[in-house]
Amino acid sequence: MSEQESQIALIFFGGAFLIIMMSTFIVSMVVLHRQRQVQNRQKLDHLKAENEKMLLHVENEIQQETLSHIGRELHDNIGQLLSLAKISLHSSKPEKQAEGKEYIVQIIKEVRALSKTLNLDWVESITLDEFISQQLEKIQSTGFCQTTFESDHSFLELSKNQKLVLIRVIQECLNNAIKHAHPNRISIHIAKNRSLRKIEIVDDGAGFDTSQQSQGSGMINLKKRMETIGGHFSLTSKVGNGTHITLELPF
């Protein structure tokens, strides 16, 4: 074989080798890319399943809270009205019997109102501002502490899932303030900037050490709930200086 033929053969085999190497590299990259796609899809499916699980848990908690409320209303309010109606209707005086009939009408109204809260339809029929106002009015009406609420109505446009999570997180924050902080005042302020909507929940109560594990686990749970709707939870507190909670949600 001549020198020229040897060079041509060398070039041919060298080119073939490069082609094989490039083909192997390309196939490897395609396989790696597909593996990453599968892994990312699995991660997304897992995250979606976790979010759906969290939302279902939130729904169950709200339903339990609703059932507890109905139980209290049946015992404290409707039970009392039924007793008064029974006493009035057993009276021989016409005016007392008339009072008894009025009690029955009031009882029917109360039962109808309670029946509407047996499912989560009420979540769609109420705005977040209205819910917060009702919660704060209940707290103040008990004489537990003073409350204030200011809003620029930036949370009027919410999906059902967003509203469910925010309602439950706010409930939890208010319950914690009542149980542990013993404040003189609880304030909630809603405002927005260009990209974020904020809910600030502030109390002037006892405050606590945020490094304590028992409090930390509760905060982690609230953070996870906000993350399921693309939001953010933050808390600052110091013993003797109250607690400041911020809930942020992008537009």
Side-chain angles (χ1 to χ4, degrees):
M1 182 181 292
S2 67
E3 184 178 349
Q4 186 176 4
E5 289 175 340
S6 298
Q7 289 178 349
I8 292 173
L10 182 62
I11 293 171
F12 174 79
F13 286 115
F17 177 76
L18 287 174
I19 290 172
I20 292 171
M21 290 296 294
M22 288 296 295
S23 299
T24 304
F25 176 75
I26 291 170
V27 170
S28 300
M29 290 301 295
V30 169
V31 171
L32 181 61
H33 177 67
R34 287 181 177 176
Q35 287 178 341
R36 287 179 177 175
Q37 280 185 321
V38 171
Q39 290 174 351
N40 289 336
R41 192 177 297 114
Q42 289 174 342
K43 288 180 181 178
L44 287 173
D45 289 342
H46 177 72
L47 184 61
K48 183 179 179 181
E50 285 294 317
N51 286 352
E52 289 176 351
K53 183 179 178 181
M54 178 68 77
L55 289 170
L56 181 61
H57 185 61
V58 168
E59 286 186 4
N60 289 336
E61 283 186 335
I62 292 178
Q63 286 173 339
Q64 289 299 320
E65 186 81 17
T66 299
L67 289 174
S68 297
H69 167 69
I70 290 172
R72 289 192 298 269
E73 286 295 307
L74 287 172
H75 181 270
D76 299 337
N77 184 22
I78 295 177
Q80 184 180 13
L81 289 172
L82 284 169
S83 298
L84 292 172
K86 180 180 179 181
I87 294 170
S88 299
L89 291 172
H90 277 77
S91 174
S92 59
K93 297 179 180 179
E95 62 271 18
K96 285 292 183 181
Q97 292 179 356
E99 280 184 16
K101 292 177 181 179
E102 290 178 2
Y103 284 133
I104 295 297
V105 171
Q106 188 175 349
I107 290 166
I108 292 171
K109 290 180 180 179
E110 293 288 342
V111 171
R112 284 176 177 171
L114 284 176
S115 68
K116 293 179 181 179
T117 65
L118 284 173
N119 52 42
L120 293 180
D121 290 345
W122 64 270
V123 173
E124 296 182 0
S125 65
I126 192 173
T127 67
L128 192 67
D129 283 12
E130 290 169 341
F131 169 78
I132 293 172
S133 294
Q134 290 176 6
Q135 295 298 301
L136 293 180
E137 284 173 8
K138 286 179 184 178
I139 292 172
Q140 184 157 323
S141 67
T142 64
F144 179 80
C145 71
Q146 295 295 310
T147 63
T148 57
F149 177 49
E150 297 178 356
S151 174
D152 64 358
H153 314 299
S154 56
F155 279 83
L156 293 181
E157 298 295 330
L158 291 169
S159 68
K160 182 180 178 181
N161 287 343
Q162 288 175 324
K163 198 186 296 184
L164 274 172
V165 170
L166 287 170
I167 281 174
R168 191 57 191 147
V169 169
I170 292 168
Q171 279 182 332
E172 191 70 19
C173 292
L174 292 176
N175 287 339
N176 287 339
I178 292 169
K179 290 178 183 178
H180 306 297
H182 307 292
N184 294 315
R185 180 177 296 276
I186 298 175
S187 300
I188 297 182
H189 181 255
I190 291 178
K192 64 182 177 183
N193 56 30
R194 291 182 179 179
S195 60
L196 285 175
R197 294 170 283 182
K198 288 185 179 182
I199 302 174
E200 294 181 289
I201 305 170
V202 183
D203 71 66
D204 61 356
F208 62 93
D209 182 358
T210 56
S211 65
Q212 291 181 7
Q213 188 174 359
S214 60
Q215 296 291 347
S217 60
M219 286 189 287
I220 290 171
N221 187 35
L222 294 175
K223 285 179 180 179
K224 286 183 178 178
R225 294 186 176 196
M226 288 300 297
E227 287 171 0
T228 62
I229 57 172
H232 179 71
F233 173 94
S234 61
L235 180 149
T236 57
S237 184
K238 186 179 289 187
V239 176
N241 288 332
T243 301
H244 189 143
I245 295 169
T246 302
L247 312 177
E248 294 180 341
L249 191 67
F251 281 104

